[in-house]
Structure formats: C-alpha cells, structure tokens
Amino acid sequence: MESRNPLLAVDNLSLEFRTRTGVVKALENVSFEIEKGQTVGVVGESGSGKSVMSYAIMGISDPAARITSGRIVFGGISLFEKSGQELQEMRGREISMIFQSPRTALNPIRTIGSQLEDVIYRHSSFRGRQIRGRALDLLNQVHIPDPEKRYHAYPFELSGGMCQRVMIAIAISSNPWLLIADEPVTGLDVTTQAAIMDLIKDAARERNMGTILITHDLGLAAEYCDRIIVMHSGHVVEVADTEHLFMRPRHPYTAKLIGATPNASRDLAELSSIPGNLPDLRAELPACRYSERCEHLKEDCLEPPLPRLETEAGHLVACRYPL
Amino acid sequence: MALLQTVDLLKKFPIRPSGAMGRVWNSLRGMGGEERGEAVYLHAVDGVTFTIEAGESVGLVGESGCGKSTLARLIARLQDPTSGAIAFEGRNIGGIPASRFIQGEKRRKIQMVFQDPTESLNPGFTTFRAVADPLLRLGGMRSGPELRKRVEELCALVGLAPEFLTRYPHQLSGGQKARVGIARAIALEPSLLILDEPTSALDVSVQAVILHLLEDLKNRLGMSYLFVSHDLNVVRLLCQRVLVMYLGKIVEAGPTREILRHPRHPYTRALLSAIPAINTTERTERVRLTGEPMSPIDPSPHLCRFYSRCPQREERCRVEMPMLTPYPGGIEAACHFPSEKRENIGTQTTVS
C-alpha cells in the first residue's frame, strides 16, 4: 500500500443523480486504491453503490449522474481530464468490464465469433485473417470446448456459463490493466461459479492485471480477493486485507454482514440479520449513514465529518467507535 | 405413513412430434431421420422415488437444468407426470390432471412459494387481495370483516405491518414481497409447502430474516417443507434431509449432516467443494469438474448421467446405470465407485 503509484486511485469521489423526486446522493467521499495485479472485492447490499462506482470508473455513468467532487486517477492520469475520444480508446483496451448477465450483455442476433472480432479489430493491430486466429486463441484460453464450432454459435445456443466465458474472452482480448467484474457469477450454479472465478483469477495472474470484483457474496470475495472494500449506502465503511477483514471486522456493518452469511458450521439460531433498511438517499442524511441500523450508536455519530480511522496499517474503517 | 411419497416419477417433454409432423419437422431442421419420424423427448425428471414425512423438511439441490423445478411443479400438481405415482396422505394424486386438481380438496393442502417474489405477484393486486385470493377461491370465505381479520392475522404471522395491506408489489421491498408470497401460500394452512429458491433473489441480510421466519412458521404450524435451492449452506439450516439431483435423477439422498460430512457421490463432492467459504478452515480441496453436462434429450438408459464430467469414471459407468444403494448413516448414493473420504466441513466450531 506504500507504493506511490497505484494502478487506480479513487479519491474522495462523490456522485449524485438528479431525479424528479430529488437529488440522490449515490456516492459520498469514496476513496480507495488498487495496485497492479491485485484483486479487490467490493461487497455490500444491493443499493449500496457498488455498480454506480464501477460505472463511474468506466466513464459510462447514467446521463442523470453528476460527479460533485473527487478524482479518479488511472495509471497516473486523471480520467476527468481526458476527452471523450480518449476515454473511448481507453475503455476495452486498458479497462475492461464483465457484466452480471452475460446473455443480455451479448448481442443476441450476432454470433459470438463476430462479436469477439469486433473488439479485436477495434483495440489491436491484428488485421484480416489474424483476427480470426486471435479470436479462436482467446476462446481456447477461456476453455470453450470445440472453439471452431462455437465460433459460429449465437448466445442463445450457449449455456450461461459458456456465455460468461465469451464475455471474459472479449474483456481480456486486449490484455487490459484493469478488469471490472460486476457480479460475474451471480445466477450461475456453484460448480460453474467456481470454474468462472478460477478463469478470471488465472487470466489476472498471467497478465498481472488488477481486478475489481463486485459481489454480494462474502464467501466469494473471501476466496478470491486480496483486499476487500465494504460499502453501505454510498459510503466506503471499511477497507482491509481479506484475512484481516474477516478475522477482525471493525465496522459494525461488516460484522453484521459476516454474521448474516450462511456457512458450513453456523446454525440457524446463530445466523443474525441486519435490522432496518438502507436509508433513503434523497433525504438529509446523518454523517454516518449506518447510524439508523447500528446497535452501538452514540450521540456524536450523527455529527460530521465521517471519520476515517486507520486501526492498523492498511485497515481503514469509517466509524468513530470501531469494534 | 409418509405425508408424501413419489414412486418412479417420470416427466418427459416432447421436443419433436412423432408421425407425419415429425417427418416435416426433421426435414426442415435437417436433423436426419426423415423416414422414421420418431418423437424425441427431453427427460426432465427420470424415475424419482422419495418420501417426505409429516413435519419434515427436505432439501432438493442441484444445478440449473437438473429438473429440480420440474419435480417441485409435479409435486405441487401444476404439471402432470408422464408416469409414476405421487401418494399424498395415502392417496394417489399423480393421476388427477392438473386442471382438475386445482378444484379438488387436496389443492389447499399443497402450496408453493415461488422463486422470484417480483415475478410471482400480480402487479395489480394489493397485499390484501394477494393474500385474500386463496382464501376466497379455496378457503370458502366471503368478503367481510372475517376475511379481513384472517388476512391481518396472516400478515402479522409473517411480520408484515397492517399499513402494507393496501400497497401494490411495486411499493414493497424484495423482503416484503417475499413475505407476501409466503403469507398467501400458508393462508390455507397447507400440510406441505414447496419453496422454490425462496431467498435466492434476496440480500444476505434479508435472507437471514426470511430463513428465521420459515423456521418459526414450520414450528408453529407443523408444516412439511420441500426446499428447492442450489445453495447447500442454506439448505443445511432448514432441512434435516437433502436430495441431490443431477440431470433428472436423484444421485444422493440422506440426512443433511451425514451428507455434508461424508458425501459419497462425486457430484455431491464437487458441489460441496465449490461453495466459497469465508472461513479458510472450511475450505475443502476443490473437485474440479471438466467437460459439459450430457444432453437430457433421450439419454441412454445404461450410461451414468454424470459420466461426461465425472473425475473418476470407468468403463462400468458407461454400460451400467448406477442405482441408489444404501450406506451407513442413512445415506443412499447412485455411484459404482463411492467415495471413502470424509470431509472436514460441518464439524468445525464457528470462528467469528
């Protein structure tokens, strides 16, 4: 963490959506860093801002979104200073993304081969016959059986797991520095999940690629990530190395989240739930957005600023009274 | 007497008609066999035999496409089996067509909670109407204060405040919608409740609440559950027994604890080892599955269904379909070469 040159640095990022019913403060002062070759997990309930944050990094936020403060620095250069053209060049070449439902992310009326070729044509110097060779090579790399035949298949002819493999092939085709995987295995079977995650991990290791794994499954994050970011309603509430986080969670929300995840030895009686819901992000919010659900609430928790304590080296927690 | 017993339950879906239509179909699709025009079937549920005792919770796990939802729908009598029997409270209900079953007296005894709470609620029904509907149709109740009282009672039972009664599904959160789905399913006090992935669309925090609710309801109302899920860690929490299904067949069945501790079938082992665990001591050696699942379309009756992906397949598995064989601990497994190795999971104490 001491390195002065992280691959990606998100610094104090705030983002809001202007809607008819009010301004939704979707992200507030989000900061974290990713090193080269590191896999970072982003966990939290739905609505905590995980996807909004990754769209902001990709520069594909909704038109209603407005970044009100902060910067995103990728490879030493602020993304907000780049032109639309430059961002276009960067997306897919330096930062790639895998989406949640591979079947909807792929074009249903074109073969997977032609979709893969598009990306190779756009982002590499391969031309003519080479493109097809490269595409087949990539399909091989993601362990698609019989790539020559699958090359001409349409997405509906492939299983969900196979479609996700194609998405991975597309995402890694230009050997990006950073891969953002937004719930890449949600909705797939556990056996397929494991195979897909192994594939992402191997691809990242071979290329020394940084990976952001967005997931709501703590087990998955624990197994595949070096570092974990816990988000709650637009705040980063805790950042730590995976082992530290699970061995000693310091934020009450993280502890609750771990306690609510079924595992192989916990009984139903030991499975705790998190009281309350995510707050309405359009309303006036207290400094700590978890305060309404927190069992350890003290009076000064509601007053700004939201603290950001470093309890140990590299273990950050946004709580005045960490556990 | 078991509450529910199925014997050799079979469900085939025709994917190509027989006779003249089949010939036309074949020539259009260039599938060959134009002369024969034989029908082709997808075997969704293939000879499934199991029982559910009164007050027992049984889990049904397997990957998508293995036929677990079809099996749930056969038992809920939403679909008609091709052959085989379903005995419920001592009477064969498998032969009653689904269209007639809906009017019969057993309908109220078997109810179902569907997978996606958003998709399975009528967007035009308020909570009150959704819960009152089964009471009006099958419960012999009329509109009036009595109905209102019963609906309020049910909503209180599943933890829905009275103010939600006038809300439409789009005004409810995922957890609240799941509660409405459960309230209407238990409205008629069924003796068997079928739950098809009731928590897979929910966040862990909400999932925990719903699981507690289901356990509480089971104890209070004495229902039996058939809990369909792909998450063994969730099944473990609610079910005493578990059935593992692979491509239309039950490959392993037995007490949940025993199966977690000592799975015999290679598929069960792969399934268990693929579950990501927070606690490093709970991780087991990964059994990697290679290859693709076999096609469920007219599979060979002699070839083990798991053959194409099995890490320990041998010649015998190709010529002789393994049958469910009993093992110590009440486990039954369908494999010629069952595992001898015990798993270390489920025996650890929690570290939190």
Side-chain angles (χ1 to χ4, degrees):
Chain A
M1 299 319 98
E2 271 67 47
S3 138
R4 288 287 90 209
N5 246 335
L7 175 64
L8 176 86
V10 175
D11 185 21
N12 244 348
L13 184 73
S14 298
L15 184 148
E16 53 186 42
F17 290 103
R18 313 205 140 180
T19 69
R20 241 175 285 173
T21 49
V23 177
V24 180
K25 292 169 229 103
L27 295 177
E28 195 176 70
N29 298 335
V30 168
S31 299
F32 64 91
E33 290 178 357
I34 294 175
E35 307 291 329
K36 269 189 196 137
Q38 199 180 34
T39 302
V40 173
V42 182
V43 300
E45 286 167 272
S46 32
S48 59
K50 308 187 294 284
S51 292
V52 171
M53 187 191 69
S54 59
Y55 289 165
I57 296 169
M58 284 292 276
I60 51 172
S61 295
D62 193 88
R66 235 172 51 109
I67 287 165
T68 51
S69 81
R71 334 185 282 154
I72 301 174
V73 181
F74 176 68
I77 302 161
S78 170
L79 293 188
F80 300 153
E81 284 158 22
K82 291 197 178 194
S83 69
Q85 178 74 40
E86 283 171 319
L87 284 174
Q88 191 92 303
E89 286 293 317
M90 182 202 75
R91 276 195 290 269
R93 180 175 298 180
E94 288 160 19
I95 307 181
S96 290
M97 191 157 175
I98 305 173
F99 298 91
Q100 179 168 354
S101 42
R103 241 185 264 271
T104 44
L106 289 168
N107 187 334
I109 57 165
R110 296 184 60 214
T111 63
I112 58 159
S114 65
Q115 297 187 51
L116 191 48
E117 279 186 4
D118 281 353
V119 182
I120 298 169
Y121 182 82
R122 182 79 174 76
H123 291 300
S124 76
S125 53
F126 291 106
R127 286 297 172 264
R129 280 244 179 98
Q130 292 170 315
I131 293 186
R132 195 190 153 100
R134 170 77 179 147
L136 287 172
D137 182 38
L138 281 163
L139 290 180
N140 245 327
Q141 279 182 35
V142 295
H143 308 304
I144 289 187
D146 208 353
E148 297 267 356
K149 199 174 133 209
R150 299 293 157 91
Y151 194 84
H152 300 288
Y154 291 92
F156 78 88
E157 295 174 300
L158 301 178
S159 66
M162 280 297 143
C163 285
Q164 196 58 287
R165 283 171 197 272
V166 174
M167 283 300 292
I168 294 170
I170 291 175
I172 62 173
S173 65
S174 57
N175 298 322
W177 297 351
L178 179 67
L179 177 72
I180 302 177
D182 188 358
E183 304 265 10
V185 295
T186 308
L188 300 178
D189 296 307
V190 278
T191 43
T192 317
Q193 266 188 13
I196 296 286
M197 283 313 301
D198 288 342
L199 191 63
I200 293 177
K201 197 172 183 176
D202 292 344
R205 198 180 295 138
E206 278 163 31
R207 294 169 174 76
N208 198 23
M209 178 171 75
T211 312
I212 300 180
L213 174 69
I214 297 171
T215 179
H216 66 272
D217 185 342
L218 283 182
L220 201 71
E223 199 140 314
Y224 291 96
C225 299
D226 307 315
R227 212 167 149 74
I228 290 177
I229 297 167
V230 185
M231 290 190 72
H232 179 265
S233 53
H235 283 167
V236 169
V237 295
E238 190 160 6
V239 188
D241 290 345
T242 305
E243 261 175 63
H244 278 249
L245 188 86
F246 287 114
M247 218 138 61
R248 194 167 177 210
R250 306 301 299 267
H251 197 281
Y253 178 63
T254 314
K256 280 282 183 193
L257 214 51
I258 295 171
T261 305
N263 67 7
S265 50
R266 198 175 275 149
D267 286 336
L268 187 58
E270 296 168 285
L271 195 72
S272 65
S273 51
I274 308 177
N277 292 309
L278 293 177
D280 183 352
L281 299 181
R282 289 168 300 193
E284 258 330 294
L285 292 164
C288 174
R289 292 182 179 181
Y290 184 65
S291 53
E292 216 175 287
R293 308 169 80 180
C294 189
E295 287 167 0
H296 311 276
L297 180 67
K298 298 202 170 56
E299 250 171 59
D300 56 342
C301 286
L302 304 176
E303 287 156 25
L306 184 71
R308 213 175 137 78
L309 308 178
E310 185 156 14
T311 54
E312 288 162 75
H315 194 145
L316 294 164
V317 56
C319 181
R320 213 157 265 166
Y321 303 99
L323 298 176
Chain B
M1 184 185 64
L3 176 71
L4 178 108
Q5 179 163 26
T6 73
V7 181
D8 232 353
L9 203 58
L10 184 78
K11 177 68 184 176
K12 299 192 290 186
F13 293 99
I15 58 164
R16 192 171 82 194
S18 62
M21 274 312 289
R23 281 196 285 277
V24 173
W25 178 285
N26 288 353
S27 60
L28 284 176
R29 302 272 315 210
M31 285 168 86
E34 283 88 345
E35 308 311 313
R36 300 193 302 278
E38 290 151 1
V40 167
Y41 292 98
L42 183 149
H43 294 233
V45 174
D46 205 348
V48 166
T49 301
F50 72 96
T51 55
I52 300 177
E53 303 292 333
E56 189 187 33
S57 290
V58 175
L60 178 61
V61 297
E63 59 193 3
S64 44
C66 76
K68 55 188 193 307
S69 285
T70 304
L71 181 58
R73 289 171 161 269
L74 289 176
I75 291 161
R77 299 301 294 110
L78 300 171
Q79 264 168 353
D80 293 324
T82 310
S83 68
I86 305 170
F88 181 73
E89 293 180 338
R91 274 182 54 199
N92 183 12
I93 56 164
I96 308 168
S99 52
R100 207 143 54 80
F101 186 79
I102 199 167
Q103 293 145 6
E105 42 145 356
K106 296 278 186 204
R107 170 73 287 164
R108 51 181 299 171
K109 293 287 194 179
I110 307 176
Q111 291 288 318
M112 189 156 172
V113 177
F114 295 91
Q115 184 161 1
D116 188 334
T118 310
E119 303 265 303
S120 59
L121 292 178
N122 187 331
F125 277 18
T126 58
T127 301
F128 177 82
R129 199 162 160 207
V131 179
D133 203 49
L135 293 167
L136 292 167
R137 283 172 192 273
L138 298 163
M141 292 185 86
R142 298 271 181 83
S143 301
E146 213 175 308
L147 179 73
R148 173 154 287 277
K149 194 168 149 266
R150 177 75 183 132
V151 172
E152 279 171 6
E153 221 173 78
L154 284 162
C155 286
L157 206 56
V158 298
L160 274 174
E163 73 233 41
F164 291 115
L165 283 173
T166 53
R167 298 227 189 140
Y168 290 94
H170 75 270
Q171 295 166 315
L172 301 171
S173 72
Q176 287 159 352
K177 277 185 276 200
R179 287 172 201 265
V180 176
I182 294 169
R184 71 172 176 183
I186 61 169
L188 298 164
E189 297 180 342
S191 33
L192 176 63
L193 189 63
I194 299 168
L195 301 137
D196 190 359
E197 307 248 12
T199 60
S200 62
L202 304 172
D203 275 315
V204 280
S205 54
V206 185
Q207 170 175 283
V209 182
I210 298 295
L211 290 176
H212 280 293
L213 170 68
L214 288 172
E215 175 71 13
D216 181 48
L217 286 175
K218 191 180 77 165
N219 295 340
R220 271 207 257 178
L221 307 176
M223 289 180 285
S224 294
Y225 285 166
L226 179 67
F227 193 97
V228 183
S229 179
H230 63 270
D231 191 341
L232 264 170
N233 276 343
V234 173
V235 167
R236 213 191 108 252
L237 296 171
L238 280 182
C239 304
Q240 294 102 36
R241 257 185 342 120
V242 64
L243 311 168
V244 182
M245 218 172 155
Y246 189 82
L247 273 184
K249 286 202 176 287
I250 289 178
V251 294
E252 188 155 6
T256 315
R257 279 186 72 90
E258 288 298 322
I259 286 190
L260 288 174
R261 202 179 294 161
H262 190 171
R264 314 279 171 149
H265 198 280
Y267 177 65
T268 317
R269 294 178 63 81
L271 205 60
L272 280 172
S273 74
I275 301 173
I278 290 178
N279 198 332
T280 44
T281 57
E282 277 169 11
R283 286 184 202 156
T284 51
E285 198 186 327
R286 172 80 46 83
V287 181
R288 287 198 189 214
L289 292 183
T290 51
E292 288 275 279
M294 294 198 311
S295 163
I297 296 162
D298 281 334
S300 157
H302 307 297
L303 176 65
C304 173
R305 295 287 158 87
F306 192 52
Y307 184 78
S308 63
R309 296 166 86 188
C310 186
Q312 57 196 56
R313 63 185 168 202
E314 288 191 32
E315 185 55 28
R316 188 178 169 199
C317 312
R318 229 157 54 94
V319 292
E320 187 189 341
M321 172 74 81
M323 291 293 163
L324 280 175
T325 322
Y327 290 97
I331 290 185
E332 284 183 296
C335 183
H336 293 311
F337 307 101
S339 163
E340 297 294 327
K341 207 173 133 202
R342 281 172 168 267
E343 295 290 344
N344 63 347
I345 47 176
T347 49
Q348 244 94 29
T349 44
T350 327
V351 186
S352 57

